[in-house]
Amino acid sequence: MTFDEMTQRIATGQGFIAALDQSGGSTPKALRGYGVEDSEWSGDDEMFAQIHAMRSRIIESPCFGNGKVIGAILFEKTMDGHSGGKPVPARLKERGIVPFLKVDKGLEDERDGAQLMKPNAGLEDLCHRARDLGVFGTKMRSVIKANNPVGIKNVVHQQFAEGARILSCGLMPILEPEYDITAADRAEGEQTMLAAIHEGLDALPDGQQIMLKLSIPKTAGLYTGLTSHPKVLRVVALSGGYSTDEACEHLARNPGMIASFSRGLLQDLRKGQSDDEFDSVLGKAIDQIAAASVA
């Protein structure tokens, strides 16, 4: 797929984006959920080898290439790895799946009810390398935990500023200001965040687009205006700790948003499953998430 073909695939594809980008501290938890105990690996290299084997098994599963997965977000080591005998980005595109790369370096400590992203001096170098490997876009995550206008505006401003750096490298940025779904004031805070996002979009030069990855809103349909905004290529939803059933139920109430789930996609997969069992479980999750995305 060319860059233009990938743009069209993401803009109009009837399906969802798989999040396969667990990294750092979240990797052991993901492996335990998959049935790999901490005793089965020692050190980062063995840990990442285990998680890459899981991701490659997902990528190579017949149901992963059935057209319902339109994109996949990768961790850097996954991007640099191989699946099916080919570099992962090339293999994904061969299967009709648009590759994205997680580019943030983690979160700062909480301040003003939010966690900004850590500084990322090497962002441009990483983006150029990703583009050379055929990656289409990026994803970077911040977290909002309270309806504090200062913290929310700082998060959204940083997301758009980093997005501008990514656009300058020729990649499509997914901005992810995640609103903690357990926050008591989430309904009000998401309104504050929405206003800040519109300010960022107003300042974005004409002809440029970004993507947004947002928690499924407390108020159904809150982000409908974003899904049709000319400067937004697509709005995707994170599962945010919901189970697959919960996430799909909430997502189906928000026309125009499609899923970009991690836990909601992977929660029932186990290393000890036979290939047929694995494919069946993954296929059911893919069907359920895709149905909620096009509801």
Side-chain angles (χ1 to χ4, degrees):
M1 288 187 284
T2 66
F3 193 86
D4 287 345
E5 287 170 340
M6 289 190 285
T7 301
Q8 187 66 17
R9 176 77 169 136
I10 293 300
T12 63
Q14 296 296 297
F16 68 97
I17 296 174
L20 306 178
D21 60 330
Q22 302 92 346
S23 61
S26 65
T27 302
K29 181 178 179 181
L31 285 173
R32 289 183 211 114
Y34 183 52
V36 178
E37 298 302 323
D38 296 356
S39 60
E40 296 182 56
W41 53 268
S42 177
D44 286 352
D45 287 345
E46 290 185 13
M47 178 182 72
F48 287 121
Q50 290 276 6
I51 201 75
H52 184 76
M54 180 190 80
R55 290 167 178 159
S56 183
R57 192 179 186 189
I58 292 166
I59 291 168
E60 296 304 318
S61 176
C63 60
F64 201 70
N66 66 7
K68 295 179 181 180
V69 180
I70 64 172
I73 304 171
L74 308 173
F75 176 54
E76 184 178 351
K77 286 183 179 291
T78 309
M79 176 186 76
D80 291 333
H82 287 69
S83 185
K86 297 182 178 180
V88 170
R91 179 59 174 151
L92 287 171
K93 291 197 288 185
E94 186 176 70
R95 308 209 75 195
I97 300 165
V98 176
F100 292 82
L101 174 66
K102 175 189 180 295
V103 294
D104 67 78
K105 300 301 180 183
L107 298 171
E108 299 274 21
D109 292 337
E110 183 177 343
R111 183 177 180 181
D112 297 321
Q115 290 181 276
L116 296 174
M117 295 179 289
K118 291 180 178 178
N120 195 351
L123 179 60
E124 285 82 2
D125 288 343
L126 179 58
C127 286
H128 287 307
R129 188 161 65 82
R131 181 73 189 265
D132 290 343
L133 288 169
V135 169
F136 171 72
T138 65
K139 190 218 76 164
M140 49 191 175
R141 171 178 172 262
S142 313
V143 176
I144 298 168
K145 297 186 175 183
N147 183 21
N148 183 316
V150 173
I152 290 174
K153 287 184 178 181
N154 286 340
V155 161
V156 174
H157 176 79
Q158 184 190 43
Q159 285 280 342
F160 273 93
E162 296 295 273
R165 295 173 66 189
I166 293 161
L167 284 166
S168 74
C169 299
L171 294 178
M172 171 60 62
I174 300 177
L175 313 186
E176 184 184 0
E178 175 183 349
Y179 209 110
D180 187 341
I181 63 169
T182 66
D185 60 2
R186 181 158 67 101
E188 298 81 8
E190 287 174 338
Q191 293 279 1
T192 304
M193 185 181 72
L194 178 59
I197 289 172
H198 276 290
E199 289 177 6
L201 291 171
D202 289 343
L204 192 68
D206 290 341
Q208 290 189 350
Q209 288 184 307
I210 53 90
M211 293 175 63
L212 291 161
K213 182 169 180 175
L214 305 172
S215 302
I216 304 169
K218 186 78 170 178
T219 303
L222 179 65
Y223 301 135
T224 300
L226 293 176
T227 66
S228 58
H229 197 289
K231 294 181 181 179
V232 179
L233 181 66
R234 204 83 193 248
V235 180
V236 304
L238 57 109
S239 49
Y242 287 129
S243 69
T244 306
D245 290 344
E246 291 171 327
C248 288
E249 180 182 347
H250 292 303
L251 178 61
R253 301 188 189 121
N254 290 270
M257 292 184 78
I258 65 171
S260 178
F261 293 171
S262 174
R263 175 181 171 179
L265 176 66
L266 311 177
Q267 68 175 26
D268 295 322
L269 298 178
R270 301 292 182 269
K271 182 179 179 179
Q273 291 167 337
S274 70
D275 287 345
D276 286 345
E277 290 171 333
F278 184 91
D279 295 341
S280 175
V281 170
L282 180 60
K284 288 177 182 177
I286 287 173
D287 289 347
Q288 183 180 6
I289 297 167
S293 296
V294 302

